[in-house]
Amino acid sequence: MKYLILVADGAADEKIEALGGKTPLETACMPNINGLAKKGLVGMVSTVPEGIAPGSDAANLSVMGYDPRVYLTGRSPLEAASIGIDMSDTDVAFRCNIVTLAGDGPYEDKIVLDHSSGDITTEEADELIRAVNEKFGNETVQFYTGVSYRHCMIVKNGETNYDLTPPHDILTKRAGDHMPKGEGSQFIADMMRESYELLSGHPVNLRRMEKGLNPANSLWIWGQGKKPALSSFYDKYKISGATISAVDLIKGIGICAGLKSVDVPGATGTIHTNFDGKGKAAIQQFKEGMDFVYLHLEAPDECSHQGDMEGKIRSLELIDEKVMGQVIDYLDHCGEDYKVLVLPDHQTPLSIRTHAGRPVPFVLYNSARPEAEDESKVFGETSGAASDLFFANGYELTDFFFCG
């Protein structure tokens, strides 16, 4: 048996008047995924436990089979694992976005314009992070380059009891209303302020502004946590597996769980990612003997953060066409039965441009036990909610997928 979990990050949404009262999932043309839905199971699942912020860290842990209430120690430590940082038990990792702030006056009065600095390239970002580390790095604090706008700060013998806000939660908001809070957090706030002075005139940003691109003119620090200790995925489900994602967080979860992390050239985590390459990479992992692939596509989430409705719909169609089409064709002809689970990790409604913790729809197809065809079943919020199949915890759906 082969197993595929495809996560369309942030794909779930609300009904939108401009779409005739439909959601982006219900509007997008997705014949391959909906073909599985009509022969499979559809339902709803709550991927984020009550009381936990609806981040991709908690949601993807849940979808990968781990209870976030037990295993979540913070987002950045998982990303640090992907980058290859060997954290000690007393190290604290922080996520460092390089963001675009806009406006005149003091730092606090500037507006958080773009959490991703126009999806800055990793090559450009690496120059900026090296400048940041030269300025702020010391025996206690070090900065590490990640992917695009997502980077990492490690503090030796650090603390975690700070109130830090993700920048994608405060787009168009005043920076000063969301600065670090909590005892001892002043050093973080000071670095953020000083980073603006450092980065605004950096040659990378001068070149970006000449091209009309958003400058990556400030650090924004958040997502703190200590080294995670996930139980082995193989010990849990007795299958080998690989993760495919452009996002360090997802790679880190997989690495911490003992899964193989696969890099795909041209994978960006945006709508401009190498969709075809991700599909081919999944097929290659199956051909090389992997039982399971966790295939993560970030594009719908990024489009939601940017408020791009047309881009979100198009990204879903590209996932169906460029990724699912070829993977399902391979699985249909590989000579083995297979199971496929398709779902978002969480909602990212276009109306708020950030994550929400409400239940999301899923499609589960088992080639060995297909359901009677039902054209009313599709990958979408209305169809999922019409089903009597509901999982109160994401990891319970994953257990059902592998063991049910």
Side-chain angles (χ1 to χ4, degrees), residues 98-359:
I98 43 176
V99 304
T100 304
L101 300 186
D104 299 322
Y107 187 90
E108 282 78 2
D109 287 340
K110 298 185 188 303
I111 300 302
V112 182
L113 180 66
D114 186 348
H115 74 289
S116 69
S117 297
D119 295 319
I120 188 170
T121 68
T122 300
E123 291 74 21
E124 291 174 302
D126 182 56
E127 288 191 51
L128 300 178
I129 293 300
R130 283 192 281 113
V132 164
N133 199 51
E134 184 175 339
K135 171 74 172 179
F136 302 115
N138 53 46
E139 291 182 356
T140 301
V141 177
Q142 286 289 307
F143 292 83
Y144 298 85
T145 303
V147 176
S148 183
Y149 62 89
R150 315 171 189 94
H151 310 285
C152 185
M153 176 177 79
I154 299 292
V155 178
K156 292 186 180 300
N157 300 312
E159 299 293 335
T160 60
N161 57 337
Y162 309 126
D163 183 6
L164 307 178
T165 303
H168 54 256
D169 282 358
I170 53 172
L171 294 170
T172 74
K173 304 292 177 59
R174 180 178 175 271
D177 295 332
H178 304 280
M179 293 295 285
K181 300 178 180 66
E183 184 179 353
S185 65
Q186 190 61 44
F187 84 100
I188 300 174
D190 289 344
M191 279 196 295
M192 289 165 58
R193 289 190 194 92
E194 292 179 40
S195 74
Y196 182 84
E197 303 302 323
L198 172 69
L199 297 177
S200 293
H202 193 282
V204 165
N205 282 321
L206 296 179
R207 292 194 295 268
R208 289 182 64 79
M209 288 187 286
E210 286 176 1
K211 297 175 183 177
L213 301 173
N214 285 345
N217 57 19
S218 180
L219 292 180
W220 196 274
I221 298 172
W222 60 288
Q224 70 274 22
K226 293 193 173 184
K227 184 177 181 179
L230 296 188
S231 59
S232 163
F233 186 90
Y234 184 85
D235 289 348
K236 184 176 175 66
Y237 294 117
K238 299 298 186 285
I239 59 173
S240 62
T243 57
I244 299 174
S245 176
V247 178
D248 282 333
L249 169 66
I250 311 304
K251 295 178 182 179
I253 295 173
I255 289 168
C256 290
L259 298 172
K260 177 183 177 182
S261 178
V262 179
D263 292 325
V264 176
T268 64
T270 72
I271 194 170
H272 305 295
T273 196
N274 183 2
F275 290 101
D276 182 69
K278 284 195 169 183
K280 284 182 167 58
I283 291 169
Q284 186 61 34
Q285 291 308 303
F286 286 131
K287 287 182 175 179
E288 291 179 6
M290 286 295 181
D291 304 311
F292 163 58
V293 172
Y294 191 90
L295 183 52
H296 173 266
L297 287 303
E298 177 79 357
D301 189 62
E302 286 297 322
C303 289
S304 290
H305 288 313
Q306 299 294 346
D308 182 359
M309 181 178 72
E310 291 183 0
K312 183 169 188 174
I313 293 168
R314 181 58 182 150
S315 72
L316 292 168
E317 293 176 340
L318 288 168
I319 289 169
D320 186 82
E321 175 190 353
K322 300 289 188 181
V323 181
M324 285 300 288
Q326 62 174 316
V327 176
I328 294 304
D329 182 68
Y330 167 77
L331 291 172
D332 278 338
H333 297 92
C334 73
E336 291 186 54
D337 286 320
Y338 64 90
K339 287 184 178 181
V340 175
L341 175 62
V342 183
L343 75 168
D345 53 347
H346 52 65
Q347 277 193 344
T348 309
L350 286 154
S351 62
I352 60 173
R353 294 177 60 182
T354 191
H355 303 165
R358 292 181 288 274

